[in-house]
Amino acid sequence: MNTAAAPTLDDHDHGHHAGPSPGLMRWLVTTNHKDIGTLYLLFSLTMFFIGGAFALVIRAELFQPGLQIVNPHFFNQMTTLHALVMVFGAVMPAFVGLANWLLPMMIGAPDMALPRMNNWSFWIMPFAFTLLLSTLFTSGGGPAGGWTLYPPLVLQTGDAFPFVILAVHMLGVSSIMGAINVIATILNLRAPGMTLMKMPLFVWTWLITAFLLIAVMPVLAGAVTMLLTDKYFGTSFFNAGGGGDPVLFQHVFWFFGHPEVYIMILPAFGVISQIIPTFARKPLFGYASMVYATSSIAFLSFIVWAHHMFTVGMPLAGQLFFMYATMLIAVPTGVKVFNWVSTMWRGAMTFETPMLFAIAFVILFTIGGFSGLMLAIAPADFQYQDTYFVVAHFHYVLVPGSVFSLMAAAYYWLPKWTGHMYNEQMGKIHFWLSVVGVNILFFPQHFLGLAGMPRRIPDYALQFTEFNMISTVGAFLFGFSQLLFLYNVIQTIRGGVKATDQVWEGAHGLEWTLPSPPPYHTFTTAPVVK
Amino acid sequence: MTTSRIAQAGGIAAGGALLAWSAVAHADFALNMTPGATSVSREIYSLHMLIFWICVVIGVAVFGVMFWSIYHHRKSRGVAPAHFHESTLIEIVWTVVPMLILIAMAVPATKVLIRMADARDAELTIKVTGYQWRWHYQYLNEDVGFFSTLSTSPAQIHNDASKGEHYLLEVDQRMVVPVGKKIRVLTTASDVIHSWWVPALAIKKDAIPGFINESWTLIDKPGVYRGQCAELCGKDHGFMPIVVEAMPEAEFRQWVAKMKASNLNTLTASGGKTL
Amino acid sequence: MEIREAVSAGAANRRLVKRLLLITVAMFGFGFAMVPIYDVLCQITGLNGKTGGRQVAAVLPMAVDEARTVTVEFVANLNVGAPWEFAPQVSHMQVHPGQYYQTHYLARNLTGHALVGQAIPSVAPGLAAQHFQKIECFCFNRQVFQPEERREMPVVFRIDPNLPSDVHTITLSYTFFRLDDAGG
Ligand SMILES: [Cu+2]
C-alpha cells in the first residue's frame, strides 16, 4: 500500500492500515471518516424521529381549540425540545455526517485531517442529548422557555436548568471540533491539482459553514454561561435589577442565532448544487458566482441579527440598519436560485428521487425566502413577529429546505455508500407524500399568522380552528411518510441491486470514480486532479 | 376490535370529516393581515400587500421559467444537454435588478417606520405592565389603573362547556380609549418579557422588566379590538389576551369617572393609592 | 521526500488547529465583550432608555431655556416579589431645560422585616435618555427599608437644553427590584 498521504493524519495512525475493529468496538473507537459519517447520519435520523414525535404532540394538541392532550407547561417543553433536538440533533449532525462521508472523497483525501478528534466530536453528542432529554423526567420538567432561552423566563426553569446549559456546552464543543476538522481537511488535505476554485460546491459551502460555526458557537457558549452565572452565582448580566439588561441576551443569542440559520442552510445549498447538474446533465451555472454568493450570505449573516428583535424597542436608526442589511441578503440568495434554474435550462433532465427533492427544495426554499423578505420589512414585521407567519417561514426554510436537501443527499449518495440502489418506486412515493404533506402542514400556518395567531400557544381562539386542523392533518401525513424513508434506507443498507461506480449517468466528481461501496480506506494515494 | 367499534370509529371519523368540511364551507376564513383601525395599520397592510405581490410576480416568473424548462428540457424528449455554464452579462443583470426592486421596497418601508417611531404629542398616555399572566393598565394623566385578566371560564378551556364567540380573547376589564386622539402606550413588565400586541392597532411592543418601551396609536373608529401576548412568558402565555375598546371622547370621560370611583382602581400592583 | 511532506503536513495541521482554536477562544471572549460594548452603545444611542443609574459626572451650570417647556412624566413599577408600595409624588411636571427640579418618589415596606431594594431607571423616548441628567437620585444606591418603613426618596434632575427640539414629553420610569441579599 502506498502511504504517501497516510502520515498526514498527524497524531495517529490508529486503524489506518487495518480494516475496522470487530463488533461494536468498531463504532466506539473508530477514527474512520466513513464510519463516523455513518454514525452521525444514523444519530441524526434517530433525533429526527424523536424531534418529529415532539412536533406531533404539539400538532395533536393544536388540532382543535381547548386543552385536550397535554397541559400548557408540557406543551412549552415540547416546543422547546422540538427545536433544540431538530436544530442541534437532527439538521446540524446530518450535515456533519455528510461532510464526514463526502469531503475526503470529494477532495481526494484519505480521511479527515484529525481523525481522533472526529471520534470525540461524534461521541459527545449522544451524551449531550441523553442529558438534555432526561430533563423531561426531572422535577419541574424539561426546559420550557423556548429554544431561544430568553431570560428572565428561562431562569424560571426548574432542576433541568444546569443540565440544559451543560448539554448546550457539549453540543457547542462537538460542533466546534467538527468545524475545525472540516477546515483542516479542506485546507490541508486536498489532492494535487484540487485548487480551491475546483472544489465541488458542497466542499465550498461546508468550508464557509465551518468558519461560521467557529465564529458563533463560542458566542452561544458565552451567552449560556452568563445565564448560568446569573442564576447561580449572583451576576446580573441580564437582570435589570442588578444593572443588567434582558435584551442584551437577545443580542448575544441572535449574534449566534442568525449565522446558525445559515449553518443549517449553506451545506444544503451545496448539496443542491451537486445534484441539479447531475440530473440536468449540464455543468453548474455560475460556479464562481455561487462561491461569492455563499460568502456574501455568510458575511451578511453577522450584521442582521437584530431583525429577530424589531419589537424590543430599538432606536429608529438601528431598525433601519437591520432592515436594509436583511433585505440585502435577498440578492445573493436570488443569485443562487437563478443559477440553479439556469443549470436546468437546456439540460437533459431526468427526475429520479434526489432530483425531485432538489427541485422541491428550489421552489419551497424560495417560498421561505419570500416570506423572509417580507419579515425583513420592519414595519410589517411588527405584525408578523412571534406569529405563525414566522413559524411557517422558518419551517419552509428548514423542512422543505434543509431537510429536503438531506433527503435528496441521502438518496443521491446512498448507492455510493452502500453499493446498492435504493427502491426508486418507494423513493418517489416518499417524495410525493412528503411534498404534499409538508405543504398541507406549513402553508396554512402563513394564514394563521397573518390572521393573528401567536406562536408557542397551546390553545387558540376559534377563528384559527380550520387551518390548525388542516395543518395537523398535514403534520401526521408528513411525519408518517418518513417511515417509508427509514424503511427504504434500511433495505438499501441490507441489500439490493448493485450500484455502478458512477451510479448516476450525469454524475461527475472524485467520489464517483471510487467503487460502490468505497473500500474502508480510499485515496491512500492521492489522485491527481487535472 | 369488534365490528361495532370499527363502525363507531368510522362514524366518528366521518363525523369529524363532515364537521371539518362544513367548517371549511362556512367559515369566514381569516387569511390575511387585518388592515386594522388606524392609519398606520393601513399603511402597514398596504406595505405587506405590496411586498407580497412583488414576491408573487418574481415567483411566477422564476418558477415559470423553471417549469417550462422541466417540461421541455427532459431527457425523455430526446434533447441533448447544452454546455454553457456562465454569462457575465446575465449574472450582472440578476444582481442589479433585484437591488433596484429592494430599493423600491425600502422607500415606503422607511417612511412607515419613521411615522411609527413618532410618539410625540400624545393626548393620553397609558402604561401597560405585563404580569404572569395578566395585564395592568395605568392611565398616567387620569389616576386610573386596573388589572385585566382572561375571563374565559376554565370549563371552556377544558372542554367541559361550549366555547363562546370570543373564546380566549375576552377579559374582565377592557382597556378603554377615546377615538380620534393620539394615545401613547408605554410597555413594561413585572416578571418576564411579554409583548403587547393588538393587530388592529399594528402595535406589538415587548414589555421588558426594568425598562419602558414607547409606541402610539390613533384609532379612528369606535370598536372592540382584540389581541394577545406575543412573547412566550411561561405556562399561561396563551391565556393573557388584550381587549381594547375605542369609544367617543364623551363616553370615554364617563368611563374614566366611573373607574375613578370603582374599587377596581389599583394604580400599582400593591395598590399604591394608600400612599 | 514522503516523510518530509508528511512532517510539513502534520505541522500545517497543528498550526491551523492552533489558529482556529485561537479564533474560538477569541469569539468566546467576544460573547462577554458584548456586555460592555452594549453598555457603551446604550449610553450613546439611548437604547432601551438606559440612563445607567449613574450620576452626571460634572454638574456644570447651563443656560435655562425659559421659552421652552417640556413635560416630564413620572412612572413607578414594582418587579415581581418586591413587597413595597411605590409611587411618584406627582404624575408629571412642566419644566424648562437647564433648570434644576426636585421631586419625590414614595415607598413603603409592606412587610414586617427589613428589606433591601434598588430602583432601576428607564427613560422614554430612548433618545432623550442622554439629555436627562439626574443630579441626585435614590436609584444611585441600594435602599434599606426598616419593617413597614414609609419613606420619601428625592430625585433632583435637569433636562439638558440640547434635548432635540421635537421632544415635548419625557417619561422617567423607575422599577423597584428586591435585592436577594436583603439584610446580609
Ligand atoms: Cu405574556
Side-chain angles (χ1 to χ4, degrees), chain B residues 246-261:
Chain B
M247 52 177 64
E249 169 80 6
E251 286 173 46
F252 171 72
R253 283 287 137 213
Q254 286 172 16
W255 176 84
V256 169
K258 203 183 79 196
M259 278 312 290
K260 278 184 175 165

Side-chain angles (χ1 to χ4, degrees), chain A residues 174-225:
Chain A
S174 160
S175 299
I176 290 166
M177 294 203 305
I180 289 178
N181 214 340
V182 164
I183 296 173
T185 307
I186 297 174
L187 294 187
N188 287 350
L189 293 190
R190 291 193 314 281
M194 177 63 80
T195 58
L196 285 176
M197 288 310 273
K198 273 189 190 160
M199 297 194 307
L201 223 76
F202 179 74
V203 181
W204 254 116
T205 53
W206 240 116
L207 180 63
I208 293 166
T209 302
F211 276 109
L212 286 183
L213 277 166
I214 287 187
V216 301
M217 291 308 288
V219 176
L220 174 68
V224 299
T225 305

